[in-house]
Amino acid sequence: MAKGRMINRKIATDKNFNSLSVEEQFLFMRMLPFIDDEGRMSGSLFEIKYSVIPSIKWTEEKIRPMIENMVKANLIYFEEDRAIQFRGFFKNQKIGHKPAKSL
């Protein structure tokens, strides 16, 4: 897994991204460093809470609708307790190393 991810500045004017609330945008951005080389991360709300936003007092019940709104905005695919797949990952990420297999 990479230590970071690129964010294209076009995100500032992306209609789908901007249809999210500011909190949802924040969560989306915080999730980016945790995605693997195939654009995926865990779909466990517990893992998202304690890896992506450990110091924020959001519950899984608060996070779930935020993730669902990202799905509605066509930014991710989500299968709870399995995986989140970031749509458009490969057009925005240039992997400069040998990609690791997705877990």
Side-chain angles (χ1 to χ4, degrees):
M1 181 185 320
K3 291 182 181 179
R5 293 287 172 210
M6 298 298 297
I7 300 172
N8 189 318
R9 64 183 171 189
K10 290 181 181 180
I11 198 166
T13 57
D14 183 88
K15 287 182 181 182
N16 293 347
F17 181 74
N18 283 288
S19 72
L20 300 176
S21 71
V22 172
E23 283 185 334
E24 292 162 349
Q25 292 177 20
F26 174 75
L27 179 60
F28 181 87
M29 301 291 258
R30 291 284 296 248
M31 291 163 59
L32 291 175
F34 294 90
I35 55 182
D36 66 18
D37 290 341
E38 293 184 15
R40 296 183 189 122
M41 67 180 291
S42 170
S44 163
L45 297 174
F46 179 86
E47 288 183 42
I48 292 167
K49 162 64 184 145
Y50 290 102
S51 62
V52 175
I53 52 167
S55 63
I56 298 174
K57 294 180 178 162
W58 291 353
T59 63
E60 293 175 37
E61 290 74 30
K62 179 173 176 79
I63 295 168
R64 181 178 288 106
M66 297 169 83
I67 298 289
E68 290 168 352
N69 284 338
M70 292 176 203
V71 171
K72 290 176 190 170
N74 294 316
L75 296 171
I76 62 171
Y77 297 108
F78 173 57
E79 188 173 335
E80 190 166 345
D81 294 326
R82 275 217 62 215
I84 293 174
Q85 172 70 51
F86 283 69
R87 299 179 66 160
F89 174 78
F90 292 105
K91 91 176 170 187
N92 293 305
Q93 300 298 315
K94 305 292 183 232
I95 305 298
H97 61 280
K98 183 178 178 188
K101 286 280 187 189
S102 179
L103 300 176

